């Protein structure tokens, strides 16, 4: 029972008035990353506004200090203006159809009666840290905070696919949410997974985040969790899945969210890669959470540096920290492992001896042996940044 999530009222919704009037009430400019976003339902006023319709909200980096990101602090990313603000659970259905033996249509209640599985996994947007790309690329100018970590609970997608009986020759599964494009706009947000990926027992149709219902803006009532992969596949307000006997070539697979096939997803602005592939697994990455950029650190006393590291699902083997901008490195201690898809916290005490500007750098190595790159890559989408980040501080 503990994993079952029920809403008190069957018609779950959030304040639509709050969503539409928020900007006027607060006089917040709509075009650029701005100040607090107090009236977004179920969301902390600490989130930074990048766009209004649909809402795109970034988490300030200091909150990476939580191992599990509190629900109200998790970043928000939507593509289409017509996002669900209410879901009528009397009529809501999750359907699985297409190249299957027995198509299914389930209410939320019926989904929640299936065997629950929980795992901790990083939710990271493909374009996290796009603002650091040089030359600049178009798209939401995320700093580092399109990134979060949570415990997700739901049923295995595999269980649903076993129920419907995938027919021989099945190749892909399409995933669609309740959100809708404006009349003249981009096509509906439909993603797909190859059948082999869809059958991975760690891919979940989740109804809970940190043991609570998903916030409306993070995909209530159900969302896909594809641990280890960029969250463009983590379709929110998931309502329709179709098994196909062919690869899916919809806009959001064939045109958007593609990266150069080359190692590191690298290309040059004046020599764009001829061959691209759909983005998939996250590369290894680490960030400094403390001290923050620009902080003053006292000389002669141990300062508790800390931060996070994660990769695409092998786990973190090692984190090294440099306080001289990357010349010499020391091993950090790692906190207990919360699972191979989770943040792994690193810590290292630093006692600075000389005053002046210093640069902290951090680099992680995954269990699979992948190391972060010393220099940033570039690609036209602003995806997959994983260079060592450098944090300038002043010792005084
Ligand atoms: N239905 C739907 N699901 C979606 C999207 C969307 O636009 N519509 N955006 C995806 C992208 S690109 C990201 S980064 C994640 C963000 O998840 P969050 O808003 O819960 O942080 O949702 C994914 N799922
Ligand atoms: Mo994203």
């Amino acid at each position: 029972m503990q994993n079952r999530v029920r809403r008190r009222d069957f018609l779950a919704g959030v304040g639509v008035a709050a969503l539409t009037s928020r900007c006027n009430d607060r006089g917040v400019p709509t075009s650029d990353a701005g100040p607090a976003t107090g009236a977004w339902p179920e969301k902390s006023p600490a989130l930074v506004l990048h766009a209004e319709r649909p809402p795109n909200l970034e988490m300030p980096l200091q909150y990476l200090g939580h191992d599990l990101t509190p629900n109200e602090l998790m970043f928000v990313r939507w593509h289409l203006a017509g996002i669900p603000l209410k879901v009528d659970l009397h009529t809501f259905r999750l359907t699985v159809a297409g190249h299957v033996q027995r198509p299914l249509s389930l209410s939320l209640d019926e989904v929640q009666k299936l065997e629950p599985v929980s795992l901790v996994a990083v939710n990271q947007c493909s374009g996290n840290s796009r603002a650091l790309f040089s030359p600049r690329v178009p798209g939401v100018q995320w700093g580092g905070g399109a990134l979060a970590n949570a415990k997700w609970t739901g049923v295995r997608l595999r269980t649903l696919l076993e129920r419907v009986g995938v027919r021989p020759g099945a190749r892909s599964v399409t995933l669609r949410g309740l959100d809708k494009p404006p009349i003249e706009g981009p096509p509906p947000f439909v993603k797909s997974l190859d059948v082999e990926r869809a059958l991975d027992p760690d891919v979940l149709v989740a109804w809970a985040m940190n043991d609570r219902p998903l916030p409306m803006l993070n995909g209530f009532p159900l969302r896909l969790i594809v641990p280890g992969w960029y969250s463009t596949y983590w379709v929110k307000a998931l309502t329709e899945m179709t098994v196909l006997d062919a690869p899916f070539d919809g806009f959001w697979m064939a045109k958007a969210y593609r990266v150069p096939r080359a190692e590191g997803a690298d290309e040059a602005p004046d020599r764009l890669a001829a061959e691209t592939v759909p983005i998939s697994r996250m590369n290894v990455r680490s960030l400094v959470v403390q001290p923050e950029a620009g902080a003053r650190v006292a000389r002669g006393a141990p300062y508790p540096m800390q931060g996070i590291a994660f990769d695409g699902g092998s786990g973190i083997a090692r984190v090294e920290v440099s306080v001289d901008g990357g010349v010499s490195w020391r091993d950090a201690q790692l906190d207990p492992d919360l699972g191979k898809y989770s943040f792994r916290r690193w810590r290292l005490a630093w006692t600075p001896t000389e005053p002046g500007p210093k640069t902290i750098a951090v680099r992680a190595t995954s269990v699979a042996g992948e190391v972060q790159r010393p220099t940033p890559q570039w690609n036209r989408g602003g995806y997959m940044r994983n260079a060592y980040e450098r944090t300038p501080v002043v010792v005084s």
Side-chain angles (χ1 to χ4, degrees), residues 107-376:
S107 67
L108 178 62
D109 210 43
E110 288 165 331
V111 173
Q112 291 180 344
K113 285 191 177 112
L114 300 170
E115 190 193 342
V117 174
S118 293
L119 53 82
V120 177
V122 172
N123 170 19
Q124 182 181 220
C125 179
S126 318
N128 191 28
S129 302
R130 181 180 286 127
L132 304 178
F133 273 64
S134 170
R136 180 186 158 109
V137 294
V140 179
Q141 296 298 302
W142 301 111
L147 174 64
N149 193 45
K151 175 186 168 193
W152 308 96
T153 302
V155 62
R156 294 192 165 102
L157 175 55
R158 187 188 179 101
T159 302
L160 295 170
L161 293 175
E162 282 167 356
R163 285 217 159 188
V164 294
V166 170
R167 287 178 19 212
R171 297 282 300 279
S172 60
V173 181
T174 69
L175 311 150
R176 191 173 66 81
L178 293 169
D179 45 332
K180 296 201 168 63
I183 291 162
E184 283 179 36
F189 190 76
V190 184
K191 299 290 295 187
S192 77
L193 293 176
D194 290 345
V195 163
E196 299 73 52
R197 186 73 182 103
L199 288 171
D200 182 326
D202 291 340
V203 173
L204 306 182
V205 173
W207 56 79
M209 179 166 131
N210 299 324
D211 298 315
R212 285 167 48 211
L214 300 170
M216 189 66 60
L217 294 178
N218 297 107
F220 181 87
L222 294 171
R223 84 177 297 175
L224 199 72
I225 303 299
V226 187
W229 281 27
Y230 288 100
S231 54
T232 179
Y233 295 96
W234 297 31
V235 173
K236 301 191 281 187
L238 180 67
T239 186
E240 187 183 287
M241 296 192 276
T242 308
V243 179
L244 302 181
D245 61 0
F248 174 67
D249 65 353
F251 176 84
W252 298 98
M253 294 299 296
K255 299 277 187 259
Y257 286 104
R258 296 182 71 89
V259 292
R261 184 188 282 283
E263 178 74 22
D266 243 328
E267 62 187 342
D270 55 353
R271 262 179 308 106
L272 294 181
E275 255 198 290
T276 62
V277 293
I279 197 167
S280 59
R281 194 166 294 284
M282 292 191 283
N283 51 23
V284 64
R285 223 184 156 187
S286 62
L287 292 170
V288 178
V289 177
Q290 262 178 30
E292 287 177 49
R296 287 193 171 271
V297 175
R299 183 154 56 123
Y303 181 91
M305 295 188 288
Q306 59 113 330
I308 50 124
F310 60 93
D311 81 322
S314 76
I316 292 298
R318 182 179 192 192
V319 173
E320 297 158 281
V321 181
S322 169
V323 290
D324 54 16
V327 180
S328 63
W329 297 86
R330 276 169 65 202
D331 276 296
Q333 289 97 50
L334 300 180
D335 272 10
D337 190 355
L338 302 178
K340 61 184 181 173
Y341 301 113
S342 166
F343 283 170
R344 186 87 189 256
R345 193 161 303 277
W346 61 264
R347 299 177 191 276
L348 188 63
W350 170 37
T351 307
T353 50
E354 298 150 29
K358 289 279 178 191
T359 300
I360 302 171
V362 57
R363 74 175 175 214
T365 305
S366 73
V367 170
E370 189 194 358
V371 193
Q372 284 183 256
R373 14 186 320 151
T375 53

